[in-house]
Amino acid sequence: AAASLERALRIEPRNPRLWHELARVRLKQGQHAQAESVAARSNSWAGDDKALRAENWRLIAQSREARGDTEGAKAALESANR
């Protein structure tokens, strides 16, 4: 799945949905820091898509929680709820 998404991103590098899906895959793979980074990239391209931005912040919160950053996870969830 990751390889297919990476190929798609080479074709369409500004697609925030593709970045989000790659972040989900990275989270499932246990690559928490990379998942957070990729979700942040998705947010940088998400523009006015509030639902996608909230999904990304929730994914970032999960990633931070998995790495033991409870305060960072809490802050990410607050961003998701804004």
Side-chain angles (χ1 to χ4, degrees):
S4 294
L5 287 166
E6 288 170 351
R7 259 184 261 120
L9 282 165
R10 282 193 290 277
I11 295 167
E12 207 175 340
R14 294 182 180 190
N15 184 323
R17 286 273 169 205
L18 291 174
W19 286 109
H20 176 77
E21 289 304 317
L22 182 58
R24 287 183 35 183
V25 169
R26 294 297 184 221
L27 186 65
K28 287 181 181 180
Q29 292 174 330
Q31 297 178 15
H32 302 110
Q34 191 170 11
E36 181 174 347
S37 174
V38 174
R41 172 128 350 147
S42 175
N43 269 347
S44 74
W45 296 113
D48 293 337
D49 190 339
K50 291 179 183 180
L52 178 59
R53 294 175 69 82
E55 289 176 45
N56 283 321
W57 279 114
R58 282 191 281 281
L59 196 147
I60 289 168
Q62 290 175 348
S63 175
R64 290 177 178 175
E65 188 70 40
R67 292 193 331 257
D69 181 4
T70 306
E71 288 301 313
K74 186 177 176 181
L77 285 175
E78 289 172 4
S79 293
N81 293 328
R82 273 190 239 136

